[in-house]
Amino acid sequence: MASEPTTVTITGGGGQIGYALMFRIAAGDMLGADRPVRLRLLEIPQGMRAAEGAALELQDCAFPLLREVEVTDDPLTAFNGTRIALLVGSRPRSAGMERGDLLAANAGIFGPQGRAIGAVADEDVRVVVVGNPANTNALIAAASAAPDVPAERFTALTRLDHNRAVGQLAEFLEVGAEAIADVAIWGNHSATQFPDVSHATLRHGPEGRMPLLDALAERLGGREAATAWLDDVFIPRVAKRGAEIIEVRGSSSVASAANAAIDHVRDEQLGTPRRSWTSAAVVSRGEYGVPEGIVCSFPVRSRGKGYEVVEGLDLDDRARARLEASVAELVAERDAVTALGAL
């Protein structure tokens, strides 16, 4: 077991997603059973008591990997020496709130957090933004941390969308989720996202794999019917799954969001399975024609040293149109926060 603990900071530590995250991190689900951790929970003053209560529960669990828990409302304290930061806390959109007001409110959160990360975090810090609008919040935090932290250290969570897509395909095809590989989420973590199965495969027999589109065509009676199901049922349901959960559950996704954040960091830190990929929103370097600098979801791989975009995949006209629509939304968000002075 490594002797020096890894400092992990969770913002919004008194909230529901933070609560769902911290126990699994302390148990080793995110970084492995041989990597001790030090947890820092950042909260606003009115959330401190909830975070302090969670810290007491962590102590009561007596996790062998957990070395320390600190609760604070000071970003400089929270991010001091941080190796992994999960930026969960954000300003949700309330009834009647204009989109510009939402972006401005979150700029007031993620700008100062980015500056604190740039000032005091570990020199190899990795940051994943969970709080929505996640892609643009990551853009704001990365710009605020510059030049001390390279922009590529900041990512945003689309693993939840990826997992939702895999789960729905597995249910429809009546297989386990592990039978499906290489789904991709392109674009924004919003209703414009594009869950893409054109390169995905399904385990077929003891050793082989088959194109997932062929499996859908077999189930639905042809390729045309499969495409119609993807466009009319699958893609809208993945994109709007969060709203569906709110309607059914009465509140937003919690455990699934925390699970996706753990998956995201684990694969970024420990590596993705060989010859396979997952999805994450990363800073574009111009891949697939996406404007440089925006935080866009792509299919990605990791060898344990950060995510890299999987390049060279063919996108047909249908896929290209969906990607461009989502990218246009990201560009509009970037322009809006630029006008606010957040970039």
Side-chain angles (χ1 to χ4, degrees):
M1 180 183 292
S3 57
E4 181 62 27
T6 299
T7 300
V8 178
T9 298
I10 303 171
T11 73
Q16 292 189 68
I17 295 176
Y19 187 82
L21 271 171
M22 61 185 72
F23 295 94
R24 291 189 59 191
I25 294 171
D29 291 350
M30 188 172 79
L31 299 177
D34 62 346
R35 196 162 163 184
V37 294
R38 177 190 299 114
L39 284 177
R40 297 239 179 84
L41 310 180
L42 177 64
E43 257 298 354
I44 56 177
Q46 53 267 46
M48 287 288 288
R49 292 290 285 175
E52 288 165 354
L56 294 176
E57 286 199 75
L58 283 165
Q59 184 182 40
D60 291 348
C61 290
F63 288 112
L65 293 172
L66 183 60
R67 295 290 183 268
E68 178 187 345
V69 183
E70 183 175 4
V71 180
T72 181
D73 60 3
D74 176 24
L76 291 173
T77 300
F79 293 114
N80 186 30
T82 293
R83 177 67 177 74
I84 297 169
L86 297 106
L87 307 189
V88 178
S90 64
R91 173 68 163 85
R93 191 167 190 164
S94 56
M97 191 178 199
E98 296 294 332
R99 178 167 156 274
D101 294 334
L102 177 67
L103 293 170
N106 279 291
I109 296 170
F110 288 87
Q113 289 180 1
R115 287 191 288 275
I117 290 168
V120 299
D122 184 90
E123 63 181 3
D124 196 30
V125 65
R126 303 284 169 166
V127 183
V128 54
V129 176
V130 179
N132 290 318
N135 297 53
T136 298
N137 287 341
L139 182 67
I140 293 167
S144 301
D148 301 288
V149 181
E152 60 265 23
R153 303 279 184 79
F154 288 79
T155 58
L157 188 72
T158 54
R159 183 60 176 268
L160 178 56
D161 307 302
H162 181 101
N163 289 350
R164 285 168 169 168
V166 171
Q168 290 183 35
L169 290 166
E171 180 182 42
F172 184 75
L173 294 170
E174 299 179 320
V175 299
E178 77 284 353
I180 295 170
D182 296 339
V183 170
I185 303 295
W186 301 86
N188 199 1
H189 175 60
S190 74
T192 69
Q193 66 177 264
F194 174 40
D196 181 16
V197 304
S198 59
H199 302 281
T201 61
L202 176 69
R203 189 172 59 216
H204 186 64
E207 301 293 336
R209 302 198 70 83
M210 67 183 294
L212 191 131
L213 283 172
D214 290 350
L216 291 174
E218 286 182 10
R219 175 62 63 93
L220 290 161
R223 184 61 66 92
E224 185 175 337
T227 300
W229 179 82
L230 289 168
D231 286 343
D232 299 338
V233 179
F234 170 73
I235 291 173
R237 195 172 190 204
V238 173
K240 298 176 182 178
R241 183 67 158 191
E244 180 183 357
I245 288 171
I246 290 172
E247 181 181 354
V248 173
R249 183 174 179 266
S251 61
S252 60
S253 304
V254 175
S256 58
N259 178 72
I262 286 170
D263 287 347
H264 175 110
V265 175
R266 183 194 63 237
D267 284 353
E268 187 270 342
Q269 290 287 301
L270 305 181
T272 48
R274 189 180 179 192
R275 300 193 189 94
S276 187
W277 64 68
T278 184
S279 303
V282 300
V283 176
S284 170
R285 299 302 179 198
E287 300 94 342
Y288 298 97
V290 175
E292 291 188 29
I294 68 170
V295 178
C296 180
S297 186
F298 296 97
V300 294
R301 290 192 180 103
S302 171
R303 298 179 179 87
K305 297 182 179 179
Y307 282 123
E308 298 176 352
V309 175
V310 177
E311 298 193 63
L313 300 178
D314 291 329
L315 295 179
D316 61 18
D317 290 345
R318 167 181 165 274
R320 179 66 63 182
R322 287 186 175 275
L323 173 58
E324 289 175 355
S326 198
V327 167
E329 181 180 59
L330 286 169
V331 169
E333 290 183 7
R334 179 201 62 190
D335 293 346
V337 295
T338 299
L340 292 169
L343 298 182

